[in-house]
Amino acid sequence: MQDGEGGSDTPGRSTSVITRTKPKTKKPSLYRVLLLNDDYTPMEFVIHILERFFQKDREAATRVMLHVHNHGVGECGVFTYEVAETKVTQVMDFSRQHQHPLQCVMEKK
């Protein structure tokens, strides 16, 4: 061996390990958006709401609407907090504009 090669006796040289800790990210909480049944909002209007704001096809929208009608409540979708809050506001505003008492709420899943 030549001087300065391969040994740990070389002055000024040291090895160290740099570790990076990954930040732990957690998935955002999810919220269910629910429609509540009432005796005044037409079924066709509820189907329109589901198609327009929740991108349901006619068959899926009809299925959800009938569930709301028969059970008093039905799930429109599951979203992050901000998206769920926006959907609820959109549905409530649209319903009021068309003079329907339809209620839309969100709950933590």
Side-chain angles (χ1 to χ4, degrees):
M1 271 211 236
Q2 294 180 359
D3 285 342
E5 282 187 27
S8 62
D9 298 334
T10 308
R13 285 194 161 194
S14 63
T15 59
S16 60
V17 177
I18 299 174
T19 59
R20 291 185 185 173
T21 57
K22 283 190 174 184
K24 292 185 180 181
T25 56
K26 70 175 193 176
K27 292 184 180 181
S29 298
L30 296 177
Y31 292 80
R32 299 170 63 207
V33 175
L34 306 170
L35 285 178
L36 306 179
N37 190 38
D38 64 71
D39 294 332
Y40 304 102
T41 304
M43 292 179 174
E44 198 59 39
F45 184 78
V46 175
I47 290 172
H48 179 68
I49 290 279
L50 292 163
E51 291 173 333
R52 179 174 178 158
F53 297 108
F54 299 98
Q55 288 70 48
K56 303 280 188 199
D57 60 31
R58 190 73 162 172
E59 186 180 324
T62 302
R63 199 175 322 113
V64 172
M65 178 276 299
L66 287 172
H67 191 274
V68 171
H69 181 71
N70 293 324
H71 297 95
V73 66
E75 183 179 287
C76 304
V78 178
F79 309 95
T80 59
Y81 180 82
E82 291 80 10
V83 174
E85 186 177 46
T86 301
K87 298 269 187 197
V88 168
T89 302
Q90 289 174 328
V91 169
M92 294 295 287
D93 289 349
F94 191 75
S95 296
R96 296 303 158 263
Q97 288 171 2
H98 291 84
Q99 300 177 346
H100 294 296
L102 183 66
Q103 294 291 306
C104 186
V105 297
M106 58 189 261
E107 71 175 24
K108 195 168 186 175
K109 186 166 181 174

